Amino acid sequence: MSSAEDIISDVLSSPSVFKDKAKLYPEYLPQRLPHRENQLKSLANAFKNLITNPGESVQKVVLVGSYGTGKTVTSRVFGKTISSLASNSGIKLKYVHVNCYKARTLPQILHSIAKELGIYIPPRGLSTQEMMRAILDELDRRKLYTIIALDEFDYFVSSNPGSSSTYTLVRAYDDEPHRTKRINFIFIARSSQVLDLLEPATSTFFVKNIIRFPPYSSGELYDILSDRIPLAFHEGVIDDNVVRYIADLEGADKDGSGSARTALEILVRAGESADSEGRGYVTIEDVRKAHVIVKPELAMLQDTIEALGLHHLLLLLAIIKTLKDKGEGFVRIGDVEENYHMLCENFRQKKRKHTQVYTYIMDMRNMKIIQTKTSGKGFRGKSTLIGISNAPLDVLEKKVEELIENKLAGEAR
Ligand SMILES: Nc1ncnc2c1ncn2[C@@H]1O[C@H](COP(=O)(O)OP(=O)(O)OP(=O)(O)O)[C@@H](O)[C@H]1O
Ligand SMILES: [Mg+2]
């Protein structure tokens, strides 16, 4: 029996597919943001005045898009880049990122802003107006400009109904129109509905400068993942097919969420799965395992398959076996049918005709047990391709075999 030390040191010294896993984490700021070039350009346009005529006006933009569409990362990359470009032009500009999920009230937000800027304000005793003034005075004293990003702004609006808090923030200079404008805003929200929750006087402030972040297509996710992989993984440990498979799982054009966050998380987990088996390269089966971890609701699949009839189950087993044989993400319906015929013989069942088999496949697709697509390049002729992404095949195979045997035993009784 191995000693604890052997076991642990074995794991510690075993090679990993990762070169630098942190490059896949949400905190990492990449050099490039594929498919967010236009959003960066719009941001630059919105804040151009800050460089050409600093202090002249308060700039405000709203970034809107669903989860994982790159709002936070784009805002941070923009803030970092424009600050350093401003400094080249002799303008002191600081980007401040506040998460409104953590700081939900105006005083909390003002405290976070002050803290980020290194401005002391007493923990209590000041009104929000006084806090605001303290910040503005100190900015004047330091001749410093700021872009303040209020991320997850939806939370702020929903915990502060009405718009007076937002008003205090964006209209800080209303009483002193000639004062140098030192604060600017980026509001970040999942839905543009937050604007409707604000009073018209406040919301008209925003509508001019809404920058939208549409969900990513699978092609776009592929580019984002491919850009990140050489930084995070050792060369050659992750095949192009695997990357494409993840991109297809999440692409908005393929019924996925369009979230780069989910795609990156699956990639991390798939790498970890490869590492846990000490395999040295990432497979599609690693991705299936990762997919279930990242989206635990997929475990529901177990319940769904229990309701299937015998021939659905035989067909599902055929699909699983074909996928395992080929080691691919998708297989042709013809190959599945061959395996199905063999299974029917093994279990002494009369095989169903092609049209019926096709119906069963569509049933299981509608139940989201399997995925289908039409063959594109790489396959000769047009054919239906079938894949399973919602469960590791080994686990699923065992379960389906068990169900088939129970059904047959039930019939025999
Ligand atoms: N175009 C892109 N290029 C490179 N990485 C991206 C891109 N878009 C998103 N990412 C990465 O995807 C992950 C999620 O992005 P981000 O956190 O910016 O999403 P979000 O829109 O703020 O989502 P949420 O609304 O859930 O906060 C991050 O790791 C980010 O680095
Ligand atoms: Mg975000």
Side-chain angles (χ1 to χ4, degrees), residues 163-329:
S163 55
S164 63
S165 300
T166 316
Y167 217 74
T168 311
L169 218 49
V170 294
R171 297 227 142 156
Y173 289 104
D174 273 15
D175 302 340
E176 303 166 281
H178 300 298
R179 191 168 176 177
T180 308
K181 314 291 186 299
R182 299 209 175 264
I183 53 173
N184 302 276
F185 294 99
I186 297 177
F187 296 92
I188 304 176
R190 291 241 174 113
S191 129
S192 51
Q193 277 177 350
V194 297
L195 301 181
D196 303 340
L197 295 173
L198 301 169
E199 275 166 28
T202 324
S203 66
T204 50
F205 243 176
F206 296 119
V207 282
K208 276 190 295 176
N209 278 330
I210 296 186
I211 303 175
R212 299 200 181 269
F213 286 66
Y216 291 114
S217 68
S218 79
E220 291 171 336
L221 290 175
Y222 174 80
D223 293 339
I224 292 170
L225 295 176
S226 305
D227 214 39
R228 212 61 88 78
I229 284 171
L231 306 174
F233 288 90
H234 288 297
E235 212 182 315
V237 300
I238 178 156
D239 199 73
D240 203 50
N241 276 339
V242 175
V243 185
R244 186 123 359 239
Y245 189 80
I246 299 176
D248 281 352
L249 283 181
E250 285 307 309
D253 53 332
K254 305 261 162 89
D255 288 337
S257 64
S259 155
R261 162 142 2 88
T262 316
L264 283 166
E265 213 175 312
I266 292 174
L267 186 62
V268 173
R269 300 292 190 162
E272 287 171 353
S273 162
D275 275 0
S276 77
E277 294 180 17
R279 194 182 323 100
Y281 60 92
V282 183
T283 64
I284 285 177
E285 182 72 351
D286 289 322
V287 177
R288 290 191 186 101
K289 284 185 191 152
H291 197 208
V292 185
I293 298 172
V294 173
K295 297 190 156 173
E297 67 274 15
L298 297 176
M300 299 277 290
L301 195 64
Q302 293 259 348
D303 299 336
T304 317
I305 62 171
E306 286 190 11
L308 292 177
L310 179 61
H311 279 268
H312 281 91
L313 287 169
L314 287 170
L315 199 56
L316 184 55
L317 188 56
I319 296 170
I320 296 166
K321 289 194 181 297
T322 317
L323 283 165
K324 283 182 74 171
D325 272 1
K326 306 261 176 198
E328 309 264 341

Side-chain angles (χ1 to χ4, degrees), residues 3-242:
S3 72
E5 190 183 330
D6 284 349
I7 296 172
I8 295 168
S9 75
D10 227 37
V11 171
L12 294 184
S13 67
S14 77
S16 167
V17 293
F18 294 108
K19 184 164 69 184
D20 183 0
K21 207 197 274 186
K23 293 274 161 48
L24 302 173
Y25 292 167
E27 305 77 54
Y28 174 70
L29 291 188
Q31 291 286 326
R32 275 194 303 242
L33 295 170
H35 304 290
R36 287 302 176 235
E37 292 86 359
N38 287 334
Q39 286 77 0
L40 277 171
K41 211 179 272 178
S42 303
L43 274 163
N45 269 313
F47 290 101
K48 195 171 174 180
N49 222 11
L50 221 85
I51 309 293
T52 53
N53 293 304
E56 193 190 65
S57 54
V58 178
Q59 306 300 327
K60 306 166 223 64
V61 297
V62 186
L63 312 187
V64 171
S66 63
Y67 72 94
T69 53
K71 303 179 296 296
T72 301
V73 73
T74 303
S75 182
R76 283 191 188 277
V77 166
F78 174 74
K80 184 175 150 195
T81 313
I82 194 169
S83 306
S84 81
L85 290 175
S87 131
N88 295 344
S89 320
I91 298 167
K92 284 206 280 177
L93 172 66
K94 191 162 159 81
Y95 171 81
V96 174
H97 195 99
V98 177
N99 191 320
C100 300
Y101 180 72
K102 292 180 191 143
R104 289 204 189 194
T105 64
L106 187 55
Q108 283 169 349
I109 287 180
L110 293 171
H111 272 295
S112 321
I113 295 171
K115 196 172 156 215
E116 287 278 313
L117 293 170
I119 296 174
Y120 173 77
I121 27 182
R124 49 184 69 79
L126 292 190
S127 71
T128 51
Q129 252 83 12
E130 288 165 329
M131 285 162 76
M132 196 73 186
R133 190 145 313 277
I135 294 173
L136 296 184
D137 289 348
E138 184 60 20
L139 291 175
D140 278 344
R141 210 183 58 75
R142 294 192 202 167
K143 297 192 170 36
L144 180 64
Y145 298 90
T146 61
I147 295 177
I148 297 168
L150 297 176
D151 202 350
E152 320 233 1
F153 188 60
D154 320 53
Y155 285 101
F156 179 68
V157 174
S158 57
S159 12
N160 300 272
S163 55
S164 63
S165 300
T166 316
Y167 217 74
T168 311
L169 218 49
V170 294
R171 297 227 142 156
Y173 289 104
D174 273 15
D175 302 340
E176 303 166 281
H178 300 298
R179 191 168 176 177
T180 308
K181 314 291 186 299
R182 299 209 175 264
I183 53 173
N184 302 276
F185 294 99
I186 297 177
F187 296 92
I188 304 176
R190 291 241 174 113
S191 129
S192 51
Q193 277 177 350
V194 297
L195 301 181
D196 303 340
L197 295 173
L198 301 169
E199 275 166 28
T202 324
S203 66
T204 50
F205 243 176
F206 296 119
V207 282
K208 276 190 295 176
N209 278 330
I210 296 186
I211 303 175
R212 299 200 181 269
F213 286 66
Y216 291 114
S217 68
S218 79
E220 291 171 336
L221 290 175
Y222 174 80
D223 293 339
I224 292 170
L225 295 176
S226 305
D227 214 39
R228 212 61 88 78
I229 284 171
L231 306 174
F233 288 90
H234 288 297
E235 212 182 315
V237 300
I238 178 156
D239 199 73
D240 203 50
N241 276 339
V242 175

Side-chain angles (χ1 to χ4, degrees), residues 402-413:
E402 219 177 85
L403 286 170
I404 291 175
E405 269 155 29
N406 287 346
K407 274 217 160 38
L408 291 175
E411 271 171 22
R413 246 184 267 133

